[in-house]
Amino acid sequence: MIRVDLRSDTVSHPSPEMRKAMAEAEVGDDVYGDDPTVNRLQDLAAEKLGKEAGLFVSSGTQGNLVAMLAHCQRGDAVALGELSHIYNSEAGGTSVLGGIAMVVLPNEKSGAIPADAIRAAGAPGDYHKSPVTVFAFENTQNNAGGTAITPDQTAVMVEAATDLGLKVHMDGARIFNASVALNLDPKELTEGVDSITFCLSKGLACPIGSVLVGSKGFIEEADRWRKMLGGGMRQVGIVAAAGVVALNSMIDRMAEDHANARKLAEGLAEYPEVEIDLHAVQTNIVRFSVPSGVGMPFAAAMYEEGVYMNPGDTSLRLVPHYGIDSEDIDFTLLAVQKAMAAATS
Ligand SMILES: Cc1ncc(COP(=O)(O)O)c(C=O)c1O
């Protein structure tokens, strides 16, 4: 039987307070702008991230896509990191549906993108190329290990992009993990950034949803694109109610997930077969590698021991979240001991 599911923070379940708020939510038709709970969530999200307005969307993918569609014309390009979710894991929607090219830039080990790469990509004047009109980066940077990008790193990237007249979008799916890890007001992480998508359905434990924030004009344009994508929902305050609870009471508790991730990472680091950069374990994501041929039997043996993780040949990831406590991490480390022995014998 599976006791600990560490495949992702997206597997977290809503809290009892969320379920109660959902059952009791005041609702209206959100396509008419009539849903008071959705409006409360959007305002709260915008306020927390220091922007004028917010738009409730079905997912992080939809939030990023709507942002790209609202910022760009067909034939434009977005410059973004090689590790980014938009480039790697959103089915190419930005290009397929938006006619927007993607110019892929290197990510540093920290997850940030070097300013000179942004300046080179965004330099105007060559009509052979799609004009780059947007720069997008991620915070936390999932594929770099859930690294938290600091305000200083952000300022350097924003300066390079805005010097060239580019709009700046942040895929902040886990922006509140970053603010908790850095012990900063989230607004300090979004300065100079035009739009941010963040997810309610990951570490914040909501069942559904993300919010896109930005200026009033940008959000009006994004709303039109959301409608076009079939993302206009009706009495969706039922779902947004969980988001209001999350923003009011689930952010600070993510420090617990970060502590659990650290404990897990330090336990894993004791195995000679495991390669792990402990410095990159800054939030709730633990990435590590094992020799080729070990990952698949290791994940299968972990499953047998009651721990669910995504399989992979060499590159593996564990993600603590709401519902996983310190004892579950002890249980997981015991499972690692047995599974590693089984996978390497
Ligand atoms: C960094 C990042 N951005 C965007 C998304 C997309 O979110 P969703 O699964 O809600 O579409 C994810 C999902 O894992 C993510 O990790």
Side-chain angles (χ1 to χ4, degrees), residues 302-345:
M302 288 289 278
Y303 191 84
E304 291 304 313
E305 295 299 329
V307 179
Y308 203 0
M309 63 188 291
N310 288 320
D313 180 30
T314 59
S315 180
L316 299 169
R317 184 184 86 158
L318 297 168
V319 189
H321 50 79
Y322 175 66
I324 302 290
D325 62 20
S326 185
E327 283 174 18
D328 292 322
I329 301 300
D330 294 333
F331 178 86
T332 302
L333 287 171
L334 206 57
V336 167
Q337 192 181 19
K338 294 180 192 161
M340 195 60 83
T344 54
S345 62

mmCIF file of all heavy atoms in Angstrom, residues 302-345:
data_model
loop_
_atom_site.group_PDB
_atom_site.id
_atom_site.type_symbol
_atom_site.label_atom_id
_atom_site.label_comp_id
_atom_site.label_asym_id
_atom_site.label_seq_id
_atom_site.Cartn_x
_atom_site.Cartn_y
_atom_site.Cartn_z
ATOM 1 N N MET A 302 10.906 1.266 -4.529
ATOM 2 C CA MET A 302 10.312 2.264 -3.624
ATOM 3 C C MET A 302 8.793 2.064 -3.558
ATOM 4 O O MET A 302 8.185 2.137 -2.488
ATOM 5 C CB MET A 302 10.628 3.688 -4.111
ATOM 6 C CG MET A 302 12.071 4.123 -3.923
ATOM 7 S SD MET A 302 12.525 4.405 -2.197
ATOM 8 C CE MET A 302 11.911 6.075 -1.949
ATOM 9 N N TYR A 303 8.212 1.791 -4.714
ATOM 10 C CA TYR A 303 6.758 1.578 -4.779
ATOM 11 C C TYR A 303 6.366 0.373 -3.922
ATOM 12 O O TYR A 303 5.390 0.420 -3.165
ATOM 13 C CB TYR A 303 6.331 1.379 -6.238
ATOM 14 C CG TYR A 303 4.844 1.423 -6.448
ATOM 15 C CD1 TYR A 303 4.181 2.630 -6.604
ATOM 16 C CD2 TYR A 303 4.099 0.236 -6.484
ATOM 17 C CE1 TYR A 303 2.803 2.669 -6.793
ATOM 18 C CE2 TYR A 303 2.724 0.270 -6.661
ATOM 19 C CZ TYR A 303 2.078 1.485 -6.814
ATOM 20 O OH TYR A 303 0.717 1.527 -6.986
ATOM 21 N N GLU A 304 7.170 -0.663 -4.038
ATOM 22 C CA GLU A 304 6.912 -1.875 -3.232
ATOM 23 C C GLU A 304 7.006 -1.558 -1.736
ATOM 24 O O GLU A 304 6.327 -2.157 -0.914
ATOM 25 C CB GLU A 304 7.928 -2.989 -3.569
ATOM 26 C CG GLU A 304 7.753 -3.580 -4.955
ATOM 27 C CD GLU A 304 6.340 -4.116 -5.183
ATOM 28 O OE1 GLU A 304 5.829 -4.833 -4.294
ATOM 29 O OE2 GLU A 304 5.737 -3.772 -6.226
ATOM 30 N N GLU A 305 7.862 -0.591 -1.397
ATOM 31 C CA GLU A 305 8.050 -0.215 0.014
ATOM 32 C C GLU A 305 7.015 0.808 0.485
ATOM 33 O O GLU A 305 7.038 1.236 1.637
ATOM 34 C CB GLU A 305 9.454 0.372 0.231
ATOM 35 C CG GLU A 305 10.595 -0.609 0.008
ATOM 36 C CD GLU A 305 10.541 -1.805 0.973
ATOM 37 O OE1 GLU A 305 10.054 -1.625 2.105
ATOM 38 O OE2 GLU A 305 10.941 -2.908 0.565
ATOM 39 N N GLY A 306 6.140 1.269 -0.427
ATOM 40 C CA GLY A 306 5.076 2.199 -0.025
ATOM 41 C C GLY A 306 5.357 3.658 -0.333
ATOM 42 O O GLY A 306 4.681 4.544 0.197
ATOM 43 N N VAL A 307 6.357 3.904 -1.192
ATOM 44 C CA VAL A 307 6.662 5.295 -1.569
ATOM 45 C C VAL A 307 6.525 5.426 -3.090
ATOM 46 O O VAL A 307 7.187 4.714 -3.847
ATOM 47 C CB VAL A 307 8.090 5.704 -1.137
ATOM 48 C CG1 VAL A 307 8.385 7.145 -1.574
ATOM 49 C CG2 VAL A 307 8.253 5.567 0.377
ATOM 50 N N TYR A 308 5.673 6.356 -3.509
ATOM 51 C CA TYR A 308 5.392 6.525 -4.931
ATOM 52 C C TYR A 308 6.249 7.672 -5.475
ATOM 53 O O TYR A 308 6.224 8.787 -4.934
ATOM 54 C CB TYR A 308 3.908 6.863 -5.093
ATOM 55 C CG TYR A 308 3.295 6.562 -6.446
ATOM 56 C CD1 TYR A 308 4.025 6.018 -7.490
ATOM 57 C CD2 TYR A 308 1.934 6.796 -6.662
ATOM 58 C CE1 TYR A 308 3.442 5.740 -8.707
ATOM 59 C CE2 TYR A 308 1.332 6.517 -7.884
ATOM 60 C CZ TYR A 308 2.093 5.986 -8.902
ATOM 61 O OH TYR A 308 1.502 5.714 -10.099
ATOM 62 N N MET A 309 7.042 7.391 -6.512
ATOM 63 C CA MET A 309 7.839 8.436 -7.167
ATOM 64 C C MET A 309 7.804 8.208 -8.672
ATOM 65 O O MET A 309 7.544 7.083 -9.125
ATOM 66 C CB MET A 309 9.287 8.409 -6.660
ATOM 67 C CG MET A 309 10.044 7.133 -6.965
ATOM 68 S SD MET A 309 11.658 7.060 -6.154
ATOM 69 C CE MET A 309 12.546 8.323 -7.061
ATOM 70 N N ASN A 310 8.059 9.266 -9.453
ATOM 71 C CA ASN A 310 8.100 9.097 -10.904
ATOM 72 C C ASN A 310 9.363 8.325 -11.272
ATOM 73 O O ASN A 310 10.440 8.629 -10.759
ATOM 74 C CB ASN A 310 8.108 10.452 -11.603
ATOM 75 C CG ASN A 310 6.755 11.137 -11.511
ATOM 76 O OD1 ASN A 310 5.719 10.489 -11.638
ATOM 77 N ND2 ASN A 310 6.756 12.436 -11.255
ATOM 78 N N PRO A 311 9.236 7.317 -12.148
ATOM 79 C CA PRO A 311 10.421 6.567 -12.539
ATOM 80 C C PRO A 311 11.294 7.353 -13.526
ATOM 81 O O PRO A 311 10.826 8.302 -14.148
ATOM 82 C CB PRO A 311 9.836 5.325 -13.214
ATOM 83 C CG PRO A 311 8.497 5.748 -13.695
ATOM 84 C CD PRO A 311 8.012 6.850 -12.803
ATOM 85 N N GLY A 312 12.550 6.971 -13.619
ATOM 86 C CA GLY A 312 13.477 7.581 -14.575
ATOM 87 C C GLY A 312 14.750 6.757 -14.551
ATOM 88 O O GLY A 312 15.027 6.098 -13.543
ATOM 89 N N ASP A 313 15.516 6.795 -15.644
ATOM 90 C CA ASP A 313 16.726 5.964 -15.678
ATOM 91 C C ASP A 313 17.797 6.516 -14.726
ATOM 92 O O ASP A 313 18.294 5.809 -13.856
ATOM 93 C CB ASP A 313 17.261 5.889 -17.115
ATOM 94 C CG ASP A 313 18.523 5.040 -17.198
ATOM 95 O OD1 ASP A 313 18.658 4.098 -16.384
ATOM 96 O OD2 ASP A 313 19.384 5.323 -18.057
ATOM 97 N N THR A 314 18.127 7.799 -14.900
ATOM 98 C CA THR A 314 19.191 8.364 -14.052
ATOM 99 C C THR A 314 18.720 9.569 -13.232
ATOM 100 O O THR A 314 19.245 9.831 -12.163
ATOM 101 C CB THR A 314 20.382 8.843 -14.926
ATOM 102 O OG1 THR A 314 19.897 9.813 -15.841
ATOM 103 C CG2 THR A 314 21.018 7.683 -15.677
ATOM 104 N N SER A 315 17.738 10.289 -13.763
ATOM 105 C CA SER A 315 17.354 11.556 -13.149
ATOM 106 C C SER A 315 16.038 11.385 -12.388
ATOM 107 O O SER A 315 15.021 11.022 -12.969
ATOM 108 C CB SER A 315 17.204 12.573 -14.289
ATOM 109 O OG SER A 315 16.849 13.797 -13.753
ATOM 110 N N LEU A 316 16.073 11.644 -11.079
ATOM 111 C CA LEU A 316 14.901 11.377 -10.235
ATOM 112 C C LEU A 316 14.537 12.607 -9.425
ATOM 113 O O LEU A 316 15.369 13.495 -9.208
ATOM 114 C CB LEU A 316 15.191 10.188 -9.307
ATOM 115 C CG LEU A 316 15.504 8.863 -10.009
ATOM 116 C CD1 LEU A 316 16.030 7.832 -9.017
ATOM 117 C CD2 LEU A 316 14.263 8.308 -10.719
ATOM 118 N N ARG A 317 13.291 12.626 -8.929
ATOM 119 C CA ARG A 317 12.808 13.799 -8.188
ATOM 120 C C ARG A 317 11.821 13.351 -7.116
ATOM 121 O O ARG A 317 10.986 12.472 -7.362
ATOM 122 C CB ARG A 317 12.096 14.725 -9.191
ATOM 123 C CG ARG A 317 11.618 16.025 -8.621
ATOM 124 C CD ARG A 317 10.847 16.827 -9.651
ATOM 125 N NE ARG A 317 9.438 16.424 -9.661
ATOM 126 C CZ ARG A 317 8.439 17.182 -10.125
ATOM 127 N NH1 ARG A 317 8.689 18.367 -10.649
ATOM 128 N NH2 ARG A 317 7.197 16.770 -10.095
ATOM 129 N N LEU A 318 11.936 13.943 -5.938
ATOM 130 C CA LEU A 318 10.956 13.706 -4.870
ATOM 131 C C LEU A 318 10.453 15.077 -4.406
ATOM 132 O O LEU A 318 11.248 16.012 -4.259
ATOM 133 C CB LEU A 318 11.599 12.955 -3.702
ATOM 134 C CG LEU A 318 12.117 11.544 -4.017
ATOM 135 C CD1 LEU A 318 12.982 11.008 -2.874
ATOM 136 C CD2 LEU A 318 10.947 10.589 -4.273
ATOM 137 N N VAL A 319 9.144 15.177 -4.159
ATOM 138 C CA VAL A 319 8.575 16.488 -3.821
ATOM 139 C C VAL A 319 7.652 16.403 -2.601
ATOM 140 O O VAL A 319 6.485 16.015 -2.720
ATOM 141 C CB VAL A 319 7.779 17.073 -5.024
ATOM 142 C CG1 VAL A 319 7.390 18.526 -4.751
ATOM 143 C CG2 VAL A 319 8.569 16.973 -6.319
ATOM 144 N N PRO A 320 8.145 16.764 -1.419
ATOM 145 C CA PRO A 320 7.270 16.811 -0.242
ATOM 146 C C PRO A 320 6.225 17.936 -0.375
ATOM 147 O O PRO A 320 6.471 18.938 -1.052
ATOM 148 C CB PRO A 320 8.236 17.129 0.910
ATOM 149 C CG PRO A 320 9.588 16.801 0.405
ATOM 150 C CD PRO A 320 9.542 17.036 -1.072
ATOM 151 N N HIS A 321 5.089 17.741 0.280
ATOM 152 C CA HIS A 321 3.979 18.703 0.140
ATOM 153 C C HIS A 321 3.053 18.582 1.337
ATOM 154 O O HIS A 321 3.261 17.720 2.218
ATOM 155 C CB HIS A 321 3.226 18.403 -1.165
ATOM 156 C CG HIS A 321 2.863 16.954 -1.318
ATOM 157 N ND1 HIS A 321 1.792 16.378 -0.675
ATOM 158 C CD2 HIS A 321 3.480 15.936 -1.984
ATOM 159 C CE1 HIS A 321 1.746 15.088 -0.968
ATOM 160 N NE2 HIS A 321 2.762 14.795 -1.752
ATOM 161 N N TYR A 322 2.006 19.403 1.331
ATOM 162 C CA TYR A 322 0.987 19.372 2.377
ATOM 163 C C TYR A 322 0.446 17.943 2.520
ATOM 164 O O TYR A 322 0.071 17.326 1.512
ATOM 165 C CB TYR A 322 -0.145 20.338 1.996
ATOM 166 C CG TYR A 322 -1.329 20.314 2.921
ATOM 167 C CD1 TYR A 322 -1.212 20.749 4.244
ATOM 168 C CD2 TYR A 322 -2.567 19.840 2.484
ATOM 169 C CE1 TYR A 322 -2.299 20.723 5.098
ATOM 170 C CE2 TYR A 322 -3.668 19.815 3.327
ATOM 171 C CZ TYR A 322 -3.524 20.254 4.639
ATOM 172 O OH TYR A 322 -4.599 20.227 5.483
ATOM 173 N N GLY A 323 0.433 17.433 3.752
ATOM 174 C CA GLY A 323 -0.029 16.056 3.971
ATOM 175 C C GLY A 323 1.124 15.104 4.230
ATOM 176 O O GLY A 323 0.907 13.971 4.657
ATOM 177 N N ILE A 324 2.356 15.559 3.979
ATOM 178 C CA ILE A 324 3.548 14.732 4.233
ATOM 179 C C ILE A 324 4.246 15.329 5.454
ATOM 180 O O ILE A 324 4.601 16.520 5.442
ATOM 181 C CB ILE A 324 4.521 14.771 3.034
ATOM 182 C CG1 ILE A 324 3.848 14.292 1.745
ATOM 183 C CG2 ILE A 324 5.814 14.004 3.339
ATOM 184 C CD1 ILE A 324 3.540 12.832 1.681
ATOM 185 N N ASP A 325 4.431 14.519 6.492
ATOM 186 C CA ASP A 325 5.097 15.062 7.680
ATOM 187 C C ASP A 325 6.483 14.443 7.848
ATOM 188 O O ASP A 325 6.920 13.606 7.054
ATOM 189 C CB ASP A 325 4.210 14.899 8.927
ATOM 190 C CG ASP A 325 3.930 13.430 9.240
ATOM 191 O OD1 ASP A 325 4.691 12.556 8.760
ATOM 192 O OD2 ASP A 325 2.942 13.154 9.959
ATOM 193 N N SER A 326 7.157 14.853 8.926
ATOM 194 C CA SER A 326 8.538 14.428 9.149
ATOM 195 C C SER A 326 8.651 12.902 9.311
ATOM 196 O O SER A 326 9.630 12.293 8.865
ATOM 197 C CB SER A 326 9.057 15.155 10.400
ATOM 198 O OG SER A 326 10.386 14.868 10.588
ATOM 199 N N GLU A 327 7.623 12.308 9.907
ATOM 200 C CA GLU A 327 7.646 10.836 10.050
ATOM 201 C C GLU A 327 7.546 10.151 8.682
ATOM 202 O O GLU A 327 8.116 9.076 8.481
ATOM 203 C CB GLU A 327 6.494 10.376 10.941
ATOM 204 C CG GLU A 327 6.781 10.622 12.411
ATOM 205 C CD GLU A 327 5.597 10.320 13.300
ATOM 206 O OE1 GLU A 327 4.671 9.615 12.862
ATOM 207 O OE2 GLU A 327 5.615 10.818 14.441
ATOM 208 N N ASP A 328 6.820 10.760 7.780
ATOM 209 C CA ASP A 328 6.745 10.200 6.415
ATOM 210 C C ASP A 328 8.120 10.257 5.741
ATOM 211 O O ASP A 328 8.457 9.400 4.918
ATOM 212 C CB ASP A 328 5.734 10.986 5.563
ATOM 213 C CG ASP A 328 4.306 10.786 6.047
ATOM 214 O OD1 ASP A 328 3.976 9.667 6.452
ATOM 215 O OD2 ASP A 328 3.538 11.764 6.018
ATOM 216 N N ILE A 329 8.894 11.273 6.100
ATOM 217 C CA ILE A 329 10.243 11.366 5.518
ATOM 218 C C ILE A 329 11.129 10.267 6.124
ATOM 219 O O ILE A 329 11.921 9.635 5.412
ATOM 220 C CB ILE A 329 10.847 12.775 5.756
ATOM 221 C CG1 ILE A 329 9.937 13.847 5.134
ATOM 222 C CG2 ILE A 329 12.270 12.862 5.176
ATOM 223 C CD1 ILE A 329 9.709 13.757 3.637
ATOM 224 N N ASP A 330 10.978 10.010 7.428
ATOM 225 C CA ASP A 330 11.716 8.886 8.042
ATOM 226 C C ASP A 330 11.352 7.583 7.330
ATOM 227 O O ASP A 330 12.222 6.769 7.001
ATOM 228 C CB ASP A 330 11.366 8.758 9.536
ATOM 229 C CG ASP A 330 11.856 9.945 10.343
ATOM 230 O OD1 ASP A 330 12.855 10.568 9.924
ATOM 231 O OD2 ASP A 330 11.240 10.260 11.378
ATOM 232 N N PHE A 331 10.054 7.410 7.093
ATOM 233 C CA PHE A 331 9.563 6.213 6.401
ATOM 234 C C PHE A 331 10.181 6.120 5.002
ATOM 235 O O PHE A 331 10.622 5.058 4.557
ATOM 236 C CB PHE A 331 8.027 6.295 6.332
ATOM 237 C CG PHE A 331 7.367 5.165 5.603
ATOM 238 C CD1 PHE A 331 7.048 3.975 6.254
ATOM 239 C CD2 PHE A 331 7.045 5.282 4.247
ATOM 240 C CE1 PHE A 331 6.430 2.931 5.569
ATOM 241 C CE2 PHE A 331 6.432 4.247 3.564
ATOM 242 C CZ PHE A 331 6.123 3.072 4.234
ATOM 243 N N THR A 332 10.237 7.262 4.331
ATOM 244 C CA THR A 332 10.790 7.300 2.967
ATOM 245 C C THR A 332 12.275 6.938 2.979
ATOM 246 O O THR A 332 12.753 6.177 2.114
ATOM 247 C CB THR A 332 10.590 8.701 2.345
ATOM 248 O OG1 THR A 332 9.191 8.989 2.341
ATOM 249 C CG2 THR A 332 11.127 8.778 0.925
ATOM 250 N N LEU A 333 13.009 7.458 3.960
ATOM 251 C CA LEU A 333 14.456 7.184 4.000
ATOM 252 C C LEU A 333 14.732 5.704 4.293
ATOM 253 O O LEU A 333 15.708 5.134 3.797
ATOM 254 C CB LEU A 333 15.140 8.112 5.005
ATOM 255 C CG LEU A 333 15.251 9.569 4.498
ATOM 256 C CD1 LEU A 333 15.740 10.496 5.604
ATOM 257 C CD2 LEU A 333 16.172 9.668 3.269
ATOM 258 N N LEU A 334 13.851 5.104 5.064
ATOM 259 C CA LEU A 334 13.979 3.667 5.309
ATOM 260 C C LEU A 334 13.716 2.896 4.005
ATOM 261 O O LEU A 334 14.422 1.928 3.671
ATOM 262 C CB LEU A 334 12.951 3.270 6.386
ATOM 263 C CG LEU A 334 13.269 2.055 7.228
ATOM 264 C CD1 LEU A 334 14.620 2.220 7.933
ATOM 265 C CD2 LEU A 334 12.153 1.847 8.281
ATOM 266 N N ALA A 335 12.713 3.362 3.267
ATOM 267 C CA ALA A 335 12.400 2.748 1.968
ATOM 268 C C ALA A 335 13.575 2.914 1.006
ATOM 269 O O ALA A 335 13.903 1.991 0.248
ATOM 270 C CB ALA A 335 11.140 3.382 1.375
ATOM 271 N N VAL A 336 14.235 4.086 1.055
ATOM 272 C CA VAL A 336 15.391 4.337 0.177
ATOM 273 C C VAL A 336 16.468 3.298 0.467
ATOM 274 O O VAL A 336 17.072 2.723 -0.456
ATOM 275 C CB VAL A 336 15.953 5.765 0.387
ATOM 276 C CG1 VAL A 336 17.320 5.927 -0.272
ATOM 277 C CG2 VAL A 336 14.979 6.811 -0.146
ATOM 278 N N GLN A 337 16.708 3.046 1.750
ATOM 279 C CA GLN A 337 17.748 2.087 2.140
ATOM 280 C C GLN A 337 17.479 0.712 1.501
ATOM 281 O O GLN A 337 18.357 0.120 0.873
ATOM 282 C CB GLN A 337 17.742 1.970 3.660
ATOM 283 C CG GLN A 337 18.927 1.254 4.229
ATOM 284 C CD GLN A 337 18.818 1.169 5.764
ATOM 285 O OE1 GLN A 337 17.737 1.317 6.346
ATOM 286 N NE2 GLN A 337 19.921 0.943 6.407
ATOM 287 N N LYS A 338 16.244 0.253 1.633
ATOM 288 C CA LYS A 338 15.901 -1.075 1.096
ATOM 289 C C LYS A 338 15.904 -1.058 -0.438
ATOM 290 O O LYS A 338 16.406 -1.985 -1.081
ATOM 291 C CB LYS A 338 14.522 -1.502 1.612
ATOM 292 C CG LYS A 338 14.506 -1.719 3.123
ATOM 293 C CD LYS A 338 13.115 -2.129 3.578
ATOM 294 C CE LYS A 338 12.999 -2.067 5.100
ATOM 295 N NZ LYS A 338 11.610 -2.021 5.556
ATOM 296 N N ALA A 339 15.331 0.007 -1.018
ATOM 297 C CA ALA A 339 15.199 0.060 -2.482
ATOM 298 C C ALA A 339 16.566 0.198 -3.144
ATOM 299 O O ALA A 339 16.809 -0.385 -4.208
ATOM 300 C CB ALA A 339 14.289 1.219 -2.883
ATOM 301 N N MET A 340 17.460 0.959 -2.529
ATOM 302 C CA MET A 340 18.791 1.134 -3.123
ATOM 303 C C MET A 340 19.534 -0.205 -3.104
ATOM 304 O O MET A 340 20.201 -0.571 -4.082
ATOM 305 C CB MET A 340 19.566 2.220 -2.359
ATOM 306 C CG MET A 340 20.783 2.717 -3.098
ATOM 307 S SD MET A 340 20.369 3.446 -4.700
ATOM 308 C CE MET A 340 19.896 5.093 -4.209
ATOM 309 N N ALA A 341 19.384 -0.934 -1.999
ATOM 310 C CA ALA A 341 20.035 -2.255 -1.903
ATOM 311 C C ALA A 341 19.474 -3.176 -2.999
ATOM 312 O O ALA A 341 20.225 -3.857 -3.713
ATOM 313 C CB ALA A 341 19.815 -2.840 -0.514
ATOM 314 N N ALA A 342 18.147 -3.133 -3.167
ATOM 315 C CA ALA A 342 17.519 -4.003 -4.178
ATOM 316 C C ALA A 342 17.947 -3.595 -5.595
ATOM 317 O O ALA A 342 18.185 -4.461 -6.444
ATOM 318 C CB ALA A 342 15.998 -3.931 -4.029
ATOM 319 N N ALA A 343 18.020 -2.296 -5.853
ATOM 320 C CA ALA A 343 18.286 -1.816 -7.213
ATOM 321 C C ALA A 343 19.752 -1.965 -7.600
ATOM 322 O O ALA A 343 20.085 -1.945 -8.790
ATOM 323 C CB ALA A 343 17.870 -0.355 -7.341
ATOM 324 N N THR A 344 20.636 -2.088 -6.631
ATOM 325 C CA THR A 344 22.068 -2.144 -6.957
ATOM 326 C C THR A 344 22.683 -3.527 -6.699
ATOM 327 O O THR A 344 23.873 -3.717 -6.885
ATOM 328 C CB THR A 344 22.847 -1.072 -6.153
ATOM 329 O OG1 THR A 344 22.564 -1.242 -4.770
ATOM 330 C CG2 THR A 344 22.481 0.336 -6.574
ATOM 331 N N SER A 345 21.838 -4.467 -6.252
ATOM 332 C CA SER A 345 22.409 -5.791 -5.935
ATOM 333 C C SER A 345 22.576 -6.633 -7.204
ATOM 334 O O SER A 345 21.905 -6.424 -8.188
ATOM 335 C CB SER A 345 21.541 -6.513 -4.928
ATOM 336 O OG SER A 345 20.275 -6.724 -5.496
#
